Amino acid sequence: MTEGIAKEQPPKVVVVLPTYNERDNIARLLPALCQLPVANLHILVVDDNSPDGTGELVDELAQQPVYARRLHVLHRPQKLGLGPAYIAGFKAALGLGADLVIGMDADFSHQPARIPDLLRRAADCDIVIGSRYVPGGSVDSNWGAWRKLLSYWANRVYTPLILGLPVRDATGGFRVFHRAALIGIDLDRVRANGYVFLVELIYVAQRLGYRLGEVPIHFPDRQHGESKMSSRIALEAALRIWQIRWRHRRLTRADRRTARYSA
């Protein structure tokens, strides 16, 4: 063995978890993430001052040896929306030196066991989506007919028709981003607040010419806590699709950001 040659470090993977009243789920999710066969994995919880004490619990857990230097918490003063939470978390992850950033829900609708598959697909793509609507993907069998129809129509008909997206699950939030892709997107130009933020982010990426891939996932319903989705939110998202198309219609590969985010 040649002396003096340092081993190449595995890429730094940072999982970004926006939370609001997810105390029960986060206590189970963090161990599940740490047990994954993923080297150099870190976790960043972005908590919107949850009344149930989610943020305080994560602060306590971060002091345990098992989470030493792997678990980070970003406290925000109040519930300010999913989009701003993700943007703050993604910027903080880049500041931590992430090579790959994973966005996912904290309620086990996005199953941690699928992360290695998403990371393998990221070897060939700039952004990977855990998709319910590619072959092999599925949703919870307890979903009602109306919910299934609404989700399928939004992702397989309405959004692709208006935005011309090449993906089948534009509203899916289980995603892996390469560092260069997040920097190039320029997070400050993604303005949506609620769940439509996920659509705007992927549309901007597509306009900028980033390679998009999908991996099939099963999407179970949450077992603890309450869902933040409602019919009003879904309708608002549908209307804002047109706004997203107009706002970013002129973006091209030449508009990729090159400046770095600092810690």
Side-chain angles (χ1 to χ4, degrees):
M1 179 177 178
T2 303
E3 295 183 1
I5 299 178
K7 291 184 178 180
E8 184 178 348
Q9 290 294 317
K12 186 172 187 177
V13 179
V14 178
V15 179
V16 175
L17 299 169
T19 59
Y20 185 77
N21 285 348
E22 298 286 3
R23 184 183 179 94
D24 291 341
N25 284 313
I26 206 72
R28 299 183 303 124
L29 181 59
L30 295 179
L33 289 171
C34 286
Q35 292 166 11
L36 290 174
V38 177
N40 207 9
L41 183 141
H42 297 251
I43 305 165
L44 172 63
V45 176
V46 183
D47 186 66
D48 279 4
N49 197 21
S50 297
D52 72 349
T54 300
E56 289 78 3
L57 173 62
V58 179
D59 280 331
E60 294 173 9
L61 293 174
Q63 304 304 312
Q64 297 181 7
V66 67
Y67 298 118
R69 296 181 295 279
R70 297 182 63 189
L71 178 58
H72 314 270
V73 192
L74 177 59
H75 293 279
R76 302 206 307 161
Q78 58 187 359
K79 189 176 182 181
L80 299 171
L82 182 67
Y86 263 128
I87 288 174
F90 288 161
K91 287 182 177 181
L94 292 173
L96 289 170
D99 299 300
L100 293 161
V101 179
I102 300 174
M104 64 184 293
D105 292 344
D107 61 4
F108 282 92
S109 292
H110 298 151
Q111 298 175 306
R114 300 299 290 160
I115 285 178
D117 293 328
L118 269 68
L119 290 174
R120 279 189 287 270
R121 186 74 174 94
D124 302 311
C125 301
D126 300 304
I127 300 169
V128 179
I129 300 172
S131 177
R132 298 161 289 183
Y133 299 113
V134 295
S138 59
V139 299
D140 196 293
S141 59
N142 291 323
W143 277 23
W146 171 246
R147 184 178 179 186
K148 288 181 179 179
L149 178 62
L150 179 63
S151 180
Y152 183 87
W153 176 78
N155 284 287
R156 298 294 291 115
V157 181
Y158 186 72
T159 301
L161 180 65
I162 296 171
L163 299 181
L165 289 171
V167 299
R168 297 190 176 195
D169 197 347
T171 66
F174 198 6
R175 300 176 177 180
V176 176
F177 300 84
H178 279 269
R179 178 183 185 85
L182 278 181
I183 291 174
I185 285 169
D186 186 357
L187 294 166
D188 291 329
R189 67 172 138 215
V190 182
R191 306 178 199 170
N193 189 1
Y195 285 87
V196 75
F197 161 82
L198 298 167
V199 179
E200 183 176 11
L201 187 63
I202 211 68
Y203 181 60
V204 169
Q206 185 260 347
R207 295 292 302 174
L208 294 173
Y210 287 106
R211 298 169 299 168
L212 309 176
E214 294 181 275
V215 169
I217 63 166
H218 175 62
F219 187 88
D221 264 345
R222 63 162 57 232
Q223 299 299 311
H224 300 275
E226 297 181 358
S227 173
K228 283 77 174 178
M229 178 57 76
S230 67
S231 298
R232 180 188 62 79
I233 291 174
L235 177 60
E236 180 184 4
L239 295 174
R240 290 192 179 278
I241 296 296
W242 292 95
Q243 185 182 54
I244 288 171
R245 176 179 173 177
W246 179 259
R247 179 184 298 155
H248 302 298
R249 68 193 185 282
R250 293 194 176 94
L251 284 180
T252 68
R253 182 185 292 264
D255 295 308
R256 291 183 181 185
R257 175 187 171 131
T258 57
R260 298 178 180 274
Y261 289 96
S262 59

